[in-house]
Short mmCIF file of all heavy atoms in Angstrom, two decimals:
data_model
loop_
_atom_site.label_atom_id
_atom_site.label_comp_id
_atom_site.label_asym_id
_atom_site.label_seq_id
_atom_site.Cartn_x
_atom_site.Cartn_y
_atom_site.Cartn_z
N MET A 1 15.53 26.08 77.61
CA MET A 1 14.23 26.30 77.01
C MET A 1 14.23 25.83 75.55
O MET A 1 13.35 25.11 75.13
CB MET A 1 13.88 27.79 77.11
CG MET A 1 12.52 28.10 76.60
SD MET A 1 11.29 27.45 77.70
CE MET A 1 9.97 28.56 77.42
N ARG A 2 15.21 26.29 74.76
CA ARG A 2 15.27 25.88 73.35
C ARG A 2 15.51 24.39 73.22
O ARG A 2 14.98 23.76 72.30
CB ARG A 2 16.39 26.63 72.64
CG ARG A 2 16.06 28.03 72.32
CD ARG A 2 17.15 28.66 71.50
NE ARG A 2 16.84 30.03 71.19
CZ ARG A 2 17.62 30.84 70.55
NH1 ARG A 2 18.79 30.43 70.12
NH2 ARG A 2 17.25 32.08 70.31
N ALA A 3 16.30 23.84 74.12
CA ALA A 3 16.58 22.40 74.05
C ALA A 3 15.30 21.60 74.27
O ALA A 3 15.07 20.58 73.62
CB ALA A 3 17.64 22.02 75.07
N ARG A 4 14.46 22.08 75.18
CA ARG A 4 13.21 21.38 75.46
C ARG A 4 12.28 21.43 74.25
O ARG A 4 11.65 20.44 73.88
CB ARG A 4 12.54 22.01 76.68
CG ARG A 4 11.39 21.17 77.18
CD ARG A 4 10.71 21.73 78.40
NE ARG A 4 11.65 22.39 79.31
CZ ARG A 4 11.33 23.42 80.08
NH1 ARG A 4 10.12 23.92 80.05
NH2 ARG A 4 12.21 23.97 80.88
N VAL A 5 12.20 22.59 73.61
CA VAL A 5 11.36 22.75 72.42
C VAL A 5 11.89 21.87 71.29
O VAL A 5 11.11 21.20 70.61
CB VAL A 5 11.30 24.24 71.99
CG1 VAL A 5 10.62 24.38 70.65
CG2 VAL A 5 10.61 25.07 73.05
N ALA A 6 13.19 21.86 71.10
CA ALA A 6 13.80 21.03 70.06
C ALA A 6 13.55 19.55 70.34
O ALA A 6 13.26 18.78 69.41
CB ALA A 6 15.28 21.31 69.96
N ARG A 7 13.66 19.14 71.59
CA ARG A 7 13.43 17.75 71.95
C ARG A 7 11.98 17.35 71.68
O ARG A 7 11.70 16.27 71.16
CB ARG A 7 13.78 17.55 73.43
CG ARG A 7 14.13 16.13 73.75
CD ARG A 7 14.62 15.94 75.19
NE ARG A 7 15.74 16.80 75.50
CZ ARG A 7 15.77 17.69 76.51
NH1 ARG A 7 14.74 17.80 77.32
NH2 ARG A 7 16.83 18.44 76.73
N ARG A 8 11.05 18.26 72.04
CA ARG A 8 9.64 17.99 71.79
C ARG A 8 9.34 17.88 70.30
O ARG A 8 8.60 17.00 69.86
CB ARG A 8 8.79 19.11 72.40
CG ARG A 8 7.58 18.60 73.12
CD ARG A 8 6.77 19.68 73.78
NE ARG A 8 7.62 20.59 74.52
CZ ARG A 8 7.34 21.88 74.74
NH1 ARG A 8 6.25 22.40 74.25
NH2 ARG A 8 8.15 22.65 75.43
N ARG A 9 9.93 18.77 69.53
CA ARG A 9 9.73 18.75 68.08
C ARG A 9 10.30 17.47 67.47
O ARG A 9 9.66 16.84 66.61
CB ARG A 9 10.40 19.97 67.45
CG ARG A 9 10.08 20.13 66.00
CD ARG A 9 10.63 21.41 65.46
NE ARG A 9 9.92 22.54 66.06
CZ ARG A 9 10.40 23.77 66.14
NH1 ARG A 9 11.59 24.04 65.66
NH2 ARG A 9 9.69 24.73 66.68
N ALA A 10 11.48 17.07 67.92
CA ALA A 10 12.08 15.84 67.41
C ALA A 10 11.22 14.63 67.77
O ALA A 10 11.04 13.72 66.96
CB ALA A 10 13.49 15.68 67.97
N GLN A 11 10.67 14.63 68.97
CA GLN A 11 9.83 13.51 69.39
C GLN A 11 8.56 13.45 68.55
O GLN A 11 8.11 12.36 68.19
CB GLN A 11 9.46 13.63 70.87
CG GLN A 11 8.79 12.39 71.42
CD GLN A 11 9.65 11.14 71.28
OE1 GLN A 11 10.83 11.16 71.58
NE2 GLN A 11 9.07 10.07 70.80
N ARG A 12 8.00 14.59 68.19
CA ARG A 12 6.82 14.61 67.31
C ARG A 12 7.14 14.01 65.95
O ARG A 12 6.34 13.26 65.39
CB ARG A 12 6.34 16.03 67.10
CG ARG A 12 5.36 16.51 68.07
CD ARG A 12 4.90 17.86 67.60
NE ARG A 12 3.82 18.35 68.42
CZ ARG A 12 3.36 19.57 68.35
NH1 ARG A 12 3.89 20.42 67.49
NH2 ARG A 12 2.38 19.96 69.12
N ILE A 13 8.30 14.38 65.42
CA ILE A 13 8.70 13.85 64.11
C ILE A 13 8.87 12.34 64.18
O ILE A 13 8.40 11.61 63.30
CB ILE A 13 9.99 14.55 63.63
CG1 ILE A 13 9.70 16.01 63.33
CG2 ILE A 13 10.58 13.85 62.42
CD1 ILE A 13 10.93 16.85 63.09
N ILE A 14 9.53 11.87 65.23
CA ILE A 14 9.75 10.42 65.38
C ILE A 14 8.43 9.69 65.55
O ILE A 14 8.21 8.64 64.95
CB ILE A 14 10.70 10.16 66.58
CG1 ILE A 14 12.10 10.67 66.23
CG2 ILE A 14 10.74 8.68 66.93
CD1 ILE A 14 13.04 10.72 67.41
N ASP A 15 7.53 10.26 66.36
CA ASP A 15 6.22 9.62 66.56
C ASP A 15 5.43 9.57 65.25
O ASP A 15 4.79 8.56 64.94
CB ASP A 15 5.41 10.37 67.61
CG ASP A 15 5.98 10.20 69.01
OD1 ASP A 15 6.78 9.26 69.22
OD2 ASP A 15 5.63 11.01 69.89
N GLY A 16 5.49 10.65 64.47
CA GLY A 16 4.80 10.66 63.19
C GLY A 16 5.37 9.64 62.23
O GLY A 16 4.64 8.96 61.51
N TYR A 17 6.69 9.52 62.21
CA TYR A 17 7.34 8.54 61.35
C TYR A 17 6.94 7.13 61.75
O TYR A 17 6.63 6.29 60.91
CB TYR A 17 8.86 8.70 61.43
CG TYR A 17 9.63 7.68 60.65
CD1 TYR A 17 9.79 7.80 59.28
CD2 TYR A 17 10.19 6.57 61.27
CE1 TYR A 17 10.48 6.86 58.54
CE2 TYR A 17 10.89 5.62 60.54
CZ TYR A 17 11.03 5.77 59.18
OH TYR A 17 11.72 4.83 58.47
N ASN A 18 6.94 6.85 63.06
CA ASN A 18 6.60 5.51 63.54
C ASN A 18 5.14 5.16 63.34
O ASN A 18 4.79 3.98 63.28
CB ASN A 18 6.97 5.37 65.02
CG ASN A 18 8.46 5.31 65.22
OD1 ASN A 18 9.21 4.88 64.34
ND2 ASN A 18 8.92 5.75 66.38
N SER A 19 4.27 6.16 63.22
CA SER A 19 2.84 5.87 63.06
C SER A 19 2.45 5.62 61.60
O SER A 19 1.32 5.22 61.34
CB SER A 19 2.01 7.03 63.63
OG SER A 19 2.17 8.18 62.83
N THR A 20 3.35 5.86 60.66
CA THR A 20 3.01 5.64 59.25
C THR A 20 3.12 4.16 58.91
O THR A 20 3.89 3.42 59.52
CB THR A 20 3.94 6.43 58.32
OG1 THR A 20 5.28 6.05 58.57
CG2 THR A 20 3.79 7.91 58.53
N PRO A 21 2.38 3.71 57.91
CA PRO A 21 2.45 2.31 57.49
C PRO A 21 3.84 1.96 56.94
O PRO A 21 4.56 2.82 56.42
CB PRO A 21 1.40 2.20 56.39
CG PRO A 21 0.51 3.37 56.55
CD PRO A 21 1.35 4.44 57.19
N GLY A 22 4.18 0.71 57.03
CA GLY A 22 5.49 0.23 56.58
C GLY A 22 5.84 0.56 55.14
O GLY A 22 6.95 1.03 54.87
N PRO A 23 4.93 0.32 54.19
CA PRO A 23 5.27 0.62 52.79
C PRO A 23 5.62 2.10 52.55
O PRO A 23 6.48 2.41 51.74
CB PRO A 23 4.01 0.23 52.02
CG PRO A 23 3.36 -0.80 52.86
CD PRO A 23 3.65 -0.39 54.28
N GLU A 24 4.95 2.98 53.27
CA GLU A 24 5.27 4.41 53.11
C GLU A 24 6.66 4.71 53.64
O GLU A 24 7.39 5.52 53.07
CB GLU A 24 4.23 5.26 53.83
CG GLU A 24 2.90 5.31 53.11
CD GLU A 24 1.92 6.22 53.81
OE1 GLU A 24 2.35 7.11 54.57
OE2 GLU A 24 0.71 6.04 53.59
N ARG A 25 7.04 4.06 54.74
CA ARG A 25 8.39 4.27 55.27
C ARG A 25 9.45 3.73 54.32
O ARG A 25 10.51 4.31 54.16
CB ARG A 25 8.52 3.61 56.64
CG ARG A 25 7.92 4.45 57.74
CD ARG A 25 8.18 3.85 59.07
NE ARG A 25 7.12 2.86 59.28
CZ ARG A 25 7.08 2.01 60.27
NH1 ARG A 25 8.04 1.95 61.14
NH2 ARG A 25 6.08 1.16 60.39
N VAL A 26 9.13 2.63 53.65
CA VAL A 26 10.07 2.07 52.68
C VAL A 26 10.27 3.04 51.52
O VAL A 26 11.40 3.29 51.09
CB VAL A 26 9.57 0.70 52.17
CG1 VAL A 26 10.37 0.22 50.97
CG2 VAL A 26 9.63 -0.34 53.28
N LEU A 27 9.19 3.59 51.02
CA LEU A 27 9.29 4.55 49.92
C LEU A 27 10.04 5.80 50.34
O LEU A 27 10.82 6.36 49.55
CB LEU A 27 7.90 4.92 49.40
CG LEU A 27 7.19 3.80 48.63
CD1 LEU A 27 5.77 4.23 48.27
CD2 LEU A 27 7.97 3.43 47.40
N LEU A 28 9.84 6.26 51.56
CA LEU A 28 10.58 7.41 52.05
C LEU A 28 12.07 7.09 52.12
O LEU A 28 12.91 7.90 51.72
CB LEU A 28 10.08 7.83 53.43
CG LEU A 28 10.84 8.99 54.08
CD1 LEU A 28 10.63 10.28 53.28
CD2 LEU A 28 10.40 9.18 55.51
N GLY A 29 12.41 5.89 52.58
CA GLY A 29 13.80 5.49 52.65
C GLY A 29 14.44 5.40 51.27
O GLY A 29 15.58 5.83 51.06
N LEU A 30 13.70 4.83 50.31
CA LEU A 30 14.21 4.75 48.94
C LEU A 30 14.42 6.13 48.33
O LEU A 30 15.47 6.40 47.74
CB LEU A 30 13.23 3.96 48.07
CG LEU A 30 13.34 2.46 48.10
CD1 LEU A 30 12.15 1.83 47.40
CD2 LEU A 30 14.62 2.02 47.46
N SER A 31 13.44 6.99 48.49
CA SER A 31 13.56 8.34 47.94
C SER A 31 14.73 9.09 48.57
O SER A 31 15.48 9.79 47.88
CB SER A 31 12.27 9.13 48.17
OG SER A 31 11.21 8.50 47.53
N THR A 32 14.88 8.94 49.86
CA THR A 32 15.97 9.61 50.57
C THR A 32 17.32 9.09 50.10
O THR A 32 18.25 9.87 49.85
CB THR A 32 15.82 9.42 52.08
OG1 THR A 32 14.55 9.90 52.50
CG2 THR A 32 16.90 10.15 52.85
N SER A 33 17.44 7.78 49.94
CA SER A 33 18.73 7.22 49.52
C SER A 33 19.06 7.64 48.09
O SER A 33 20.22 7.93 47.78
CB SER A 33 18.73 5.70 49.64
OG SER A 33 17.82 5.11 48.74
N PHE A 34 18.06 7.70 47.21
CA PHE A 34 18.31 8.18 45.84
C PHE A 34 18.77 9.63 45.85
O PHE A 34 19.71 10.01 45.16
CB PHE A 34 17.06 8.04 44.98
CG PHE A 34 16.75 6.63 44.56
CD1 PHE A 34 15.44 6.22 44.45
CD2 PHE A 34 17.76 5.72 44.27
CE1 PHE A 34 15.14 4.92 44.06
CE2 PHE A 34 17.46 4.43 43.89
CZ PHE A 34 16.15 4.03 43.79
N ALA A 35 18.09 10.47 46.64
CA ALA A 35 18.45 11.88 46.70
C ALA A 35 19.86 12.07 47.24
O ALA A 35 20.64 12.88 46.72
CB ALA A 35 17.45 12.64 47.57
N ILE A 36 20.22 11.33 48.27
CA ILE A 36 21.56 11.44 48.85
C ILE A 36 22.61 10.95 47.85
O ILE A 36 23.67 11.57 47.70
CB ILE A 36 21.64 10.66 50.17
CG1 ILE A 36 20.82 11.38 51.23
CG2 ILE A 36 23.08 10.50 50.63
CD1 ILE A 36 20.64 10.61 52.51
N THR A 37 22.32 9.86 47.15
CA THR A 37 23.26 9.34 46.16
C THR A 37 23.50 10.34 45.04
O THR A 37 24.64 10.59 44.64
CB THR A 37 22.73 8.01 45.58
OG1 THR A 37 22.56 7.08 46.65
CG2 THR A 37 23.68 7.44 44.56
N ILE A 38 22.44 10.92 44.52
CA ILE A 38 22.56 11.88 43.42
C ILE A 38 23.32 13.12 43.89
O ILE A 38 24.23 13.61 43.20
CB ILE A 38 21.18 12.25 42.86
CG1 ILE A 38 20.61 11.05 42.12
CG2 ILE A 38 21.25 13.46 41.95
CD1 ILE A 38 19.15 11.18 41.76
N ALA A 39 22.98 13.64 45.06
CA ALA A 39 23.65 14.83 45.58
C ALA A 39 25.13 14.56 45.82
O ALA A 39 25.99 15.40 45.50
CB ALA A 39 22.99 15.30 46.87
N THR A 40 25.46 13.39 46.35
CA THR A 40 26.85 13.04 46.61
C THR A 40 27.64 12.92 45.32
O THR A 40 28.75 13.46 45.20
CB THR A 40 26.94 11.72 47.40
OG1 THR A 40 26.20 11.87 48.62
CG2 THR A 40 28.37 11.36 47.72
N SER A 41 27.08 12.25 44.33
CA SER A 41 27.81 12.07 43.07
C SER A 41 28.00 13.41 42.35
O SER A 41 29.06 13.66 41.78
CB SER A 41 27.09 11.07 42.16
OG SER A 41 25.85 11.57 41.75
N ARG A 42 26.99 14.27 42.40
CA ARG A 42 27.13 15.59 41.76
C ARG A 42 28.19 16.42 42.47
O ARG A 42 28.97 17.13 41.83
CB ARG A 42 25.79 16.32 41.74
CG ARG A 42 24.81 15.69 40.76
CD ARG A 42 23.49 16.42 40.76
NE ARG A 42 23.63 17.80 40.31
CZ ARG A 42 23.50 18.19 39.05
NH1 ARG A 42 23.23 17.31 38.12
NH2 ARG A 42 23.63 19.44 38.72
N THR A 43 28.24 16.34 43.79
CA THR A 43 29.24 17.08 44.55
C THR A 43 30.64 16.58 44.24
O THR A 43 31.56 17.38 44.02
CB THR A 43 28.96 16.97 46.07
OG1 THR A 43 27.65 17.47 46.33
CG2 THR A 43 29.98 17.73 46.87
N ILE A 44 30.81 15.28 44.20
CA ILE A 44 32.13 14.71 43.90
C ILE A 44 32.58 15.12 42.51
O ILE A 44 33.73 15.54 42.31
CB ILE A 44 32.09 13.17 44.04
CG1 ILE A 44 31.97 12.79 45.51
CG2 ILE A 44 33.32 12.53 43.41
CD1 ILE A 44 31.68 11.33 45.74
N ASN A 45 31.70 15.02 41.53
CA ASN A 45 32.07 15.40 40.17
C ASN A 45 32.35 16.90 40.05
O ASN A 45 33.24 17.30 39.30
CB ASN A 45 30.98 14.99 39.18
CG ASN A 45 31.01 13.50 38.94
OD1 ASN A 45 32.05 12.88 39.01
ND2 ASN A 45 29.84 12.94 38.69
N TYR A 46 31.61 17.71 40.78
CA TYR A 46 31.87 19.16 40.76
C TYR A 46 33.27 19.45 41.31
O TYR A 46 34.03 20.22 40.71
CB TYR A 46 30.82 19.89 41.59
CG TYR A 46 31.07 21.37 41.68
CD1 TYR A 46 30.73 22.21 40.63
CD2 TYR A 46 31.67 21.93 42.80
CE1 TYR A 46 30.97 23.58 40.70
CE2 TYR A 46 31.92 23.28 42.88
CZ TYR A 46 31.57 24.10 41.83
OH TYR A 46 31.81 25.44 41.91
N VAL A 47 33.61 18.83 42.42
CA VAL A 47 34.93 19.06 43.02
C VAL A 47 36.02 18.56 42.09
O VAL A 47 37.04 19.24 41.89
CB VAL A 47 35.02 18.37 44.40
CG1 VAL A 47 36.44 18.36 44.93
CG2 VAL A 47 34.09 19.06 45.39
N ARG A 48 35.84 17.39 41.51
CA ARG A 48 36.84 16.86 40.58
C ARG A 48 37.02 17.77 39.38
O ARG A 48 38.14 18.00 38.92
CB ARG A 48 36.43 15.46 40.11
CG ARG A 48 36.60 14.42 41.19
CD ARG A 48 36.06 13.08 40.78
NE ARG A 48 36.75 12.60 39.59
CZ ARG A 48 36.33 11.61 38.84
NH1 ARG A 48 35.20 10.99 39.14
NH2 ARG A 48 37.00 11.23 37.79
N GLU A 49 35.92 18.31 38.86
CA GLU A 49 35.99 19.19 37.70
C GLU A 49 36.71 20.50 38.05
O GLU A 49 37.49 21.02 37.25
CB GLU A 49 34.58 19.49 37.19
CG GLU A 49 34.53 20.29 35.91
CD GLU A 49 35.01 19.52 34.70
OE1 GLU A 49 34.97 18.28 34.71
OE2 GLU A 49 35.45 20.17 33.73
N ARG A 50 36.49 21.03 39.21
CA ARG A 50 37.13 22.27 39.63
C ARG A 50 38.63 22.09 39.85
O ARG A 50 39.39 23.05 39.75
CB ARG A 50 36.51 22.81 40.92
CG ARG A 50 35.09 23.28 40.77
CD ARG A 50 35.00 24.50 39.89
NE ARG A 50 34.29 24.15 38.66
CZ ARG A 50 34.30 24.83 37.54
NH1 ARG A 50 34.97 25.94 37.44
NH2 ARG A 50 33.64 24.43 36.49
N ARG A 51 39.07 20.90 40.19
CA ARG A 51 40.49 20.65 40.43
C ARG A 51 41.27 20.40 39.15
O ARG A 51 42.49 20.36 39.18
CB ARG A 51 40.66 19.45 41.36
CG ARG A 51 40.23 19.75 42.77
CD ARG A 51 40.48 18.59 43.68
NE ARG A 51 40.06 18.91 45.03
CZ ARG A 51 39.99 18.03 45.99
NH1 ARG A 51 40.31 16.77 45.76
NH2 ARG A 51 39.62 18.38 47.19
N ARG A 52 40.59 20.22 38.06
CA ARG A 52 41.28 19.96 36.79
C ARG A 52 41.99 21.22 36.30
O ARG A 52 41.60 22.33 36.62
CB ARG A 52 40.27 19.55 35.71
CG ARG A 52 39.64 18.21 35.95
CD ARG A 52 38.64 17.93 34.86
NE ARG A 52 39.23 17.98 33.55
CZ ARG A 52 39.71 16.92 32.90
NH1 ARG A 52 39.63 15.75 33.45
NH2 ARG A 52 40.23 17.06 31.71
N ALA A 53 42.99 21.00 35.48
CA ALA A 53 43.63 22.13 34.83
C ALA A 53 42.66 22.67 33.77
O ALA A 53 42.08 21.91 33.00
CB ALA A 53 44.93 21.68 34.17
N LEU A 54 42.49 23.95 33.75
CA LEU A 54 41.59 24.62 32.81
C LEU A 54 40.15 24.08 32.84
O LEU A 54 39.58 23.72 31.81
CB LEU A 54 42.14 24.52 31.38
CG LEU A 54 43.55 25.06 31.17
CD1 LEU A 54 44.03 24.72 29.78
CD2 LEU A 54 43.59 26.55 31.43
N PRO A 55 39.53 24.03 34.01
CA PRO A 55 38.17 23.47 34.08
C PRO A 55 37.13 24.32 33.35
O PRO A 55 36.18 23.78 32.80
CB PRO A 55 37.87 23.43 35.57
CG PRO A 55 38.76 24.46 36.16
CD PRO A 55 40.00 24.47 35.30
N ARG A 56 37.31 25.64 33.31
CA ARG A 56 36.30 26.49 32.67
C ARG A 56 36.28 26.29 31.17
O ARG A 56 35.23 26.28 30.54
CB ARG A 56 36.56 27.95 33.02
CG ARG A 56 36.22 28.24 34.46
CD ARG A 56 36.16 29.73 34.70
NE ARG A 56 35.76 29.97 36.07
CZ ARG A 56 36.60 30.27 37.04
NH1 ARG A 56 37.87 30.38 36.79
NH2 ARG A 56 36.17 30.46 38.25
N ILE A 57 37.46 26.12 30.57
CA ILE A 57 37.51 25.92 29.13
C ILE A 57 36.82 24.61 28.76
O ILE A 57 36.05 24.55 27.81
CB ILE A 57 38.98 25.93 28.62
CG1 ILE A 57 39.55 27.34 28.79
CG2 ILE A 57 39.06 25.47 27.18
CD1 ILE A 57 41.03 27.43 28.48
N ARG A 58 37.05 23.59 29.54
CA ARG A 58 36.40 22.30 29.25
C ARG A 58 34.88 22.43 29.42
O ARG A 58 34.11 21.89 28.64
CB ARG A 58 36.92 21.23 30.18
CG ARG A 58 36.29 19.89 29.88
CD ARG A 58 36.99 18.77 30.58
NE ARG A 58 36.40 17.53 30.15
CZ ARG A 58 36.22 16.50 30.93
NH1 ARG A 58 36.60 16.53 32.18
NH2 ARG A 58 35.67 15.40 30.47
N GLY A 59 34.46 23.18 30.44
CA GLY A 59 33.03 23.39 30.65
C GLY A 59 32.40 24.15 29.49
O GLY A 59 31.26 23.88 29.10
N LEU A 60 33.13 25.08 28.92
CA LEU A 60 32.58 25.84 27.79
C LEU A 60 32.49 24.99 26.53
O LEU A 60 31.60 25.17 25.71
CB LEU A 60 33.44 27.07 27.52
CG LEU A 60 33.37 28.19 28.56
CD1 LEU A 60 34.38 29.26 28.24
CD2 LEU A 60 31.96 28.75 28.61
N THR A 61 33.42 24.06 26.34
CA THR A 61 33.40 23.23 25.15
C THR A 61 32.26 22.21 25.17
O THR A 61 31.90 21.68 24.14
CB THR A 61 34.74 22.49 24.96
OG1 THR A 61 34.98 21.66 26.10
CG2 THR A 61 35.87 23.47 24.78
N ARG A 62 31.70 21.96 26.33
CA ARG A 62 30.59 21.02 26.42
C ARG A 62 29.30 21.61 25.89
O ARG A 62 28.38 20.90 25.56
CB ARG A 62 30.39 20.60 27.86
CG ARG A 62 31.45 19.71 28.37
CD ARG A 62 31.09 19.28 29.74
NE ARG A 62 32.18 18.52 30.32
CZ ARG A 62 32.27 18.23 31.58
NH1 ARG A 62 31.36 18.65 32.42
NH2 ARG A 62 33.29 17.54 32.03
N LEU A 63 29.20 22.91 25.86
CA LEU A 63 27.95 23.54 25.41
C LEU A 63 27.77 23.27 23.95
O LEU A 63 26.94 22.79 23.38
CB LEU A 63 27.98 25.04 25.65
CG LEU A 63 28.11 25.46 27.10
CD1 LEU A 63 28.26 26.99 27.17
CD2 LEU A 63 26.92 25.03 27.90
#
């Protein structure tokens, strides 16, 4: 039952995406790629900062 509802919902999303004009899909793709890039770089830098020796002291000196 849940699988059928999920499949129907996914198909609605795909149909809505396919019915939009091309330029809007391009802008959605650009916005999505920017958001993913920013989130990935922030995550990588956060992990790198946490692995450093004395990361909290360095974070405090930046203020």
Side-chain angles (χ1 to χ4, degrees):
M1 184 70 152
R2 284 186 180 177
R4 191 179 324 149
V5 171
R7 204 174 305 123
R8 223 178 313 151
R9 188 173 292 158
Q11 190 59 46
R12 270 187 174 170
I13 292 169
I14 292 168
D15 290 343
Y17 176 80
N18 288 333
S19 68
T20 58
E24 286 183 22
R25 280 185 275 172
V26 169
L27 289 175
L28 177 66
L30 276 170
S31 299
T32 303
S33 67
F34 286 145
I36 290 171
T37 301
I38 290 169
T40 302
S41 66
R42 289 180 63 92
T43 302
I44 289 170
N45 285 329
Y46 177 80
V47 170
R48 288 174 60 195
E49 185 69 24
R50 293 293 113 198
R51 289 183 180 171
R52 292 178 57 94
L54 304 172
R56 288 194 177 100
I57 292 173
R58 182 168 185 217
L60 290 174
T61 60
R62 289 185 186 166
L63 298 175

